[in-house]
Amino acid sequence: MPDWSYHPLFKPWLFSLNAHHSREFIYKSMRTISNIPGGSSLIEFLGHFSTPNDLHQNTNGVSYKSPIGVSGMLDPNLTGLEVFGSLGHSFIEIGPVTLREEEGNVPQLNDKDRLWFHKQYEMPHLTYVEKKLRKIALHKPVMLHIDPKATQSQVVQIVESLKPYVSSFIVKQEQLEWIESCNQDTPIYVSIESTEKDTIMNFNHPYVSGVVINPPINWDGEENYFKEDQKVSNDFMCKRITSVKDIDQDLTIITRGGIREPHDALHLKNAGADLMILESGYVFTGPGLPKRINELMTQMPEEDEGTGWKWGLLFGAIILIAGIIALIFSMTRVILPYDEQFIGLTREEIIAINPRILAFMAHDRMTLAGTMISGGIIYIQLARYGLRYRIHWATKAFHTAAILGFLGIFLFIGYGYFDWLHGLYYLFLLPFYLMCFWKTRGHLHTVSSSNKKNSSSWKKSLIGQLLFVILGTSIVVGGIVISTIGTTGVFVSTDLVYLCTTPEMLQSINDRLIPVIAHDRAGFGTALISVGLLVLMTTLWGFREGEKWIWNTLAIGAPPAFIAGLGTHFVIGYTSFIHLLPAYFLVVLYIIGLVYAKPFLNDGAN
């Protein structure tokens, strides 16, 4: 559930539900997806949550891919254990784990900005946690938070039972002496409540690895409280970090909460925080917050121009030029001499039989040409701004779309016709792509981001991103449908109405007409799949504040396909509303998506 689906679609509905129900719905849904074959890959595809290598750190003997983790308060039932690692979290907190049999109360969303917790909040029981951890093989560090009210015997039992599954413990100051006898090597962090004085105690204890600083707590005068996630909390915690550092520079500092925007995490990191646990701010800002924080903290090399990008540039330019040439032919002769030779009819003879046959073939070939031009533009942009700087997501998008485009050659012969010019085009194009692939295959740079705030332009961009995701997905689906039709029935009902004929009549006139038409349809479908993937992957992985080239790519890349696709229908008189409705729908998505995305991609925060 990336931010582009969370905010426009799910958040309003989820916030109207009971906190328990909405929380469990999210975690169970994502867990179900991650457990199906290819599910984890789908989650990664939609969000591209991979953590930048330069954020990896080793803290007290534990390896963390980034300093960002998630609070156990947000998942007391441990439903999302298998999911959090796929959303950019480097570590997971569990608990507070208890041996008490008291049933806790779920948090309440009392207004748009605060998540209220009850004094007697939800805590998972030891037996339940142990059963879960035995069953699930977690590949992320786990911090176990022990019930602050646990007695000495309970602390010992919790530690001895769960020590094999966790990387560190979080305890209260009073529980330190009890944990010595049962733990000698697992890092221990002491939780400091905000109600304590600003003067931090000197934790000169042999088993203390660091402290967990909690945000300020505000009570409603009864049994409920909320943890500040606004600026006051962030400033408070930065001061507490300084206080701890003044006493002991070597203590590891972990913060809980106090983060609602990426720049909040940057403030804490700059103040001296080693690890940061997201809490209620994560609920309001959305599941993309860890990724945004990681990218804000990532530093891209100033000058690191990769090799091979010029081959990618040539690859895109060849497709662009080929598309222009194909467009010229589709607007003039339509069919070439080798087409006439295969069919056994000249252009004039086909017109004499049924003038709409040639017009119909022109409409397929013109839309293919427009799609090729659009694809060529996007390939060029990805090479100039992505491959050139070794950006992993751009390289992955480039090669995924290109390889699928090459595989489409097998569809061309699905109905019995493969023209030699297509074969030559592919053979000419292949060396350029192979050189590009070979020289860019090691591009692994993740992208840094300047996005610091949950600005109005960022929120609008999520709508634009959602619309472009729908656009790219629709193009891919349309390409699959057209390719399938091209290798099976060839025509849809509106095609036959326009042609004023039936497949049987065409077959009786000339048994090679339909294979040529099918070949055009399959080729057009393949081109749509490739270009649709380019649009989709660029949208999913490239939307970042101030990335003007992403907006420019989408703005100039789509019109050739739309103009050629719609224009040819009106030129030949094939104007069936039902037939053109998908194209109209895509144009509307495109225009609105550009409008909503422009402030964020072009101008940044406002």
Side-chain angles (χ1 to χ4, degrees):
M1 190 180 293
D3 285 341
W4 51 260
S5 63
Y6 180 72
H7 283 276
L9 299 178
F10 293 104
K11 184 179 177 182
W13 172 66
L14 291 171
F15 274 39
S16 68
L17 300 177
N18 171 276
H20 170 79
H21 293 152
S22 61
R23 179 184 69 206
E24 294 303 304
F25 170 79
I26 293 173
Y27 297 155
K28 287 180 180 179
S29 298
M30 294 199 67
R31 186 182 64 189
T32 300
I33 294 173
S34 66
N35 286 337
I36 64 175
S40 297
S41 298
L42 175 62
I43 294 174
E44 169 62 19
F45 177 81
L46 292 177
H48 208 62
F49 291 106
S50 56
T51 308
N53 291 332
D54 61 345
L55 294 183
H56 292 196
Q57 64 185 65
N58 189 290
T59 303
N60 297 315
V62 181
S63 177
Y64 297 93
K65 290 188 175 182
S66 84
I68 305 301
V70 62
S71 170
M73 295 284 284
L74 300 182
D75 186 26
N77 293 333
L78 281 62
T79 313
L81 280 182
E82 299 156 281
V83 176
F84 285 126
S86 302
L87 299 177
H89 296 284
S90 173
F91 63 94
I92 301 169
E93 181 194 41
I94 294 178
V97 177
T98 186
L99 274 164
R100 291 183 284 160
E101 300 296 335
E102 301 174 5
E103 186 173 343
N105 296 287
V106 298
Q108 299 295 321
L109 183 68
N110 285 12
D111 55 48
K112 293 182 179 180
D113 296 314
R114 293 171 181 168
L115 193 64
W116 289 84
F117 295 92
H118 193 273
K119 185 176 183 180
Q120 185 176 315
Y121 51 81
E122 298 172 284
M123 289 189 288
H125 195 274
L126 171 62
T127 54
Y128 178 76
V129 173
E130 187 174 13
K131 181 179 178 181
K132 270 278 189 180
L133 293 180
R134 280 180 179 175
K135 183 179 179 181
I136 301 173
L138 291 176
H139 302 290
K140 302 284 182 182
V142 173
M143 289 185 179
L144 190 83
H145 191 176
I146 297 177
D147 178 6
K149 295 183 179 180
T151 63
Q152 180 175 358
S153 61
Q154 291 174 338
V155 169
V156 171
Q157 185 176 347
I158 291 172
V159 171
E160 290 182 340
S161 299
L162 299 181
K163 187 165 61 172
Y165 310 103
V166 303
S167 58
S168 57
F169 293 102
I170 300 175
V171 299
K172 287 286 291 180
Q173 167 79 13
E174 297 78 9
Q175 298 170 329
L176 272 175
E177 300 299 327
W178 304 339
I179 206 171
E180 292 181 30
S181 61
C182 55
N183 178 71
Q184 300 294 326
D185 49 8
T186 306
I188 300 172
Y189 301 108
V190 178
S191 178
I192 302 175
E193 297 300 329
S194 61
T195 53
E196 296 175 7
K197 295 181 180 180
D198 286 341
T199 303
I200 308 298
M201 297 180 185
N202 185 5
F203 293 113
N204 188 18
H205 192 285
Y207 297 112
V208 174
S209 299
V211 297
V212 178
I213 300 176
N214 291 280
I217 289 179
N218 290 269
W219 293 90
D220 65 353
E222 299 178 3
E223 294 290 310
N224 299 307
Y225 67 89
F226 71 91
K227 297 182 179 181
E228 287 279 9
D229 258 316
Q230 304 295 337
K231 186 177 185 300
V232 60
S233 175
N234 196 264
D235 291 344
F236 170 87
M237 297 173 78
C238 286
K239 292 178 181 177
R240 298 300 291 268
I241 291 171
T242 302
S243 300
V244 174
K245 288 293 184 183
D246 288 342
I247 295 172
D248 191 338
Q249 286 286 333
D250 295 328
L251 276 177
T252 297
I253 298 179
I254 304 171
T255 60
R256 182 195 308 282
I259 299 174
R260 185 169 291 205
E261 298 178 306
H263 76 104
D264 293 332
L266 191 61
H267 287 167
L268 295 175
K269 183 69 175 176
N270 291 339
D274 298 288
L275 300 170
M276 291 162 278
I277 300 173
L278 300 181
E279 204 165 70
S280 57
Y282 182 56
V283 175
F284 295 100
T285 302
L289 182 57
K291 176 183 176 181
R292 294 168 63 200
I293 294 172
N294 290 337
E295 290 180 350
L296 181 62
M297 293 182 178
T298 299
Q299 298 295 324
M300 286 286 288
E302 292 184 5
E303 294 183 6
D304 191 21
E305 188 172 297
T307 60
W309 71 273
K310 292 182 179 179
W311 289 103
L313 197 70
L314 288 172
F315 176 79
I318 293 169
I319 295 175
L320 173 63
I321 294 169
I324 294 173
I325 295 172
L327 183 65
I328 294 172
F329 276 109
S330 66
M331 296 171 65
T332 53
R333 280 194 55 86
V334 182
I335 60 173
L336 297 174
Y338 63 83
D339 292 320
E340 294 175 325
Q341 184 179 1
F342 176 80
I343 297 171
L345 295 173
T346 64
R347 181 176 183 275
E348 290 73 21
E349 288 172 334
I350 294 174
I351 294 175
I353 294 170
N354 183 340
R356 290 197 169 187
I357 293 176
L358 198 66
F360 185 81
M361 295 175 69
H363 120 282
D364 270 350
R365 296 189 172 195
M366 193 177 296
T367 48
L368 168 61
T371 304
M372 290 173 64
I373 294 172
S374 290
I377 291 172
I378 300 176
Y379 279 123
I380 289 172
Q381 289 288 94
L382 286 175
R384 286 178 63 194
Y385 298 100
L387 274 61
R388 184 177 183 175
Y389 301 107
R390 305 175 185 268
I391 296 175
H392 176 254
W393 78 258
T395 306
K396 185 177 180 179
F398 189 102
H399 293 315
T400 301
I403 291 171
L404 284 174
F406 276 111
L407 291 177
I409 194 172
F410 295 105
L411 289 179
F412 291 161
I413 58 177
Y415 218 95
Y417 177 57
F418 177 74
D419 63 77
W420 60 269
L421 189 58
H422 262 129
L424 287 179
Y425 166 67
Y426 271 66
L427 287 175
F428 180 74
L429 192 61
L430 185 59
F432 292 90
Y433 174 69
L434 291 177
M435 288 297 295
C436 174
F437 177 81
W438 181 256
K439 290 181 175 292
T440 62
R441 68 192 188 282
H443 288 185
L444 296 174
H445 283 171
T446 48
V447 183
S448 63
S449 170
S450 61
N451 177 230
K452 296 181 178 181
K453 298 183 178 181
N454 302 334
S455 61
S456 60
S457 63
W458 171 71
K459 293 175 183 177
K460 289 179 181 178
S461 76
L462 297 178
I463 298 175
Q465 190 175 11
L466 172 63
L467 295 178
F468 272 108
V469 168
I470 297 173
L471 174 67
T473 303
S474 299
I475 294 173
V476 171
V477 172
I480 294 172
V481 171
I482 291 172
S483 297
T484 303
I485 292 172
T487 54
T488 54
V490 183
F491 303 102
V492 295
S493 59
T494 54
D495 295 336
L496 299 174
V497 171
Y498 171 77
L499 289 169
C500 300
T501 188
T502 64
E504 292 75 20
M505 291 175 63
L506 287 174
Q507 189 72 9
S508 65
I509 293 171
N510 187 295
D511 61 359
R512 292 191 172 186
L513 267 174
I514 291 181
V516 173
I517 295 172
H519 152 272
D520 291 342
R521 314 223 93 178
F524 172 48
T526 300
L528 277 181
I529 294 172
S530 182
V531 171
L533 281 172
L534 286 174
V535 172
L536 179 60
M537 290 184 286
T538 298
T539 301
L540 288 174
W541 306 338
F543 262 57
R544 286 173 183 83
E545 184 174 336
E547 293 284 350
K548 294 182 180 181
W549 76 271
I550 295 293
W551 193 88
N552 292 336
T553 298
L554 296 171
I556 65 177
F562 285 138
I563 294 170
L566 284 172
T568 186
H569 283 83
F570 285 96
V571 169
I572 70 173
Y574 188 179
T575 57
S576 166
F577 178 77
I578 297 299
H579 182 73
L580 293 177
L581 182 59
Y584 295 146
F585 172 69
L586 295 182
V587 170
V588 171
L589 290 178
Y590 166 74
I591 294 173
I592 298 176
L594 281 180
V595 171
Y596 273 91
K598 185 178 186 297
F600 183 71
L601 294 178
N602 280 10
D603 307 321
N606 57 45

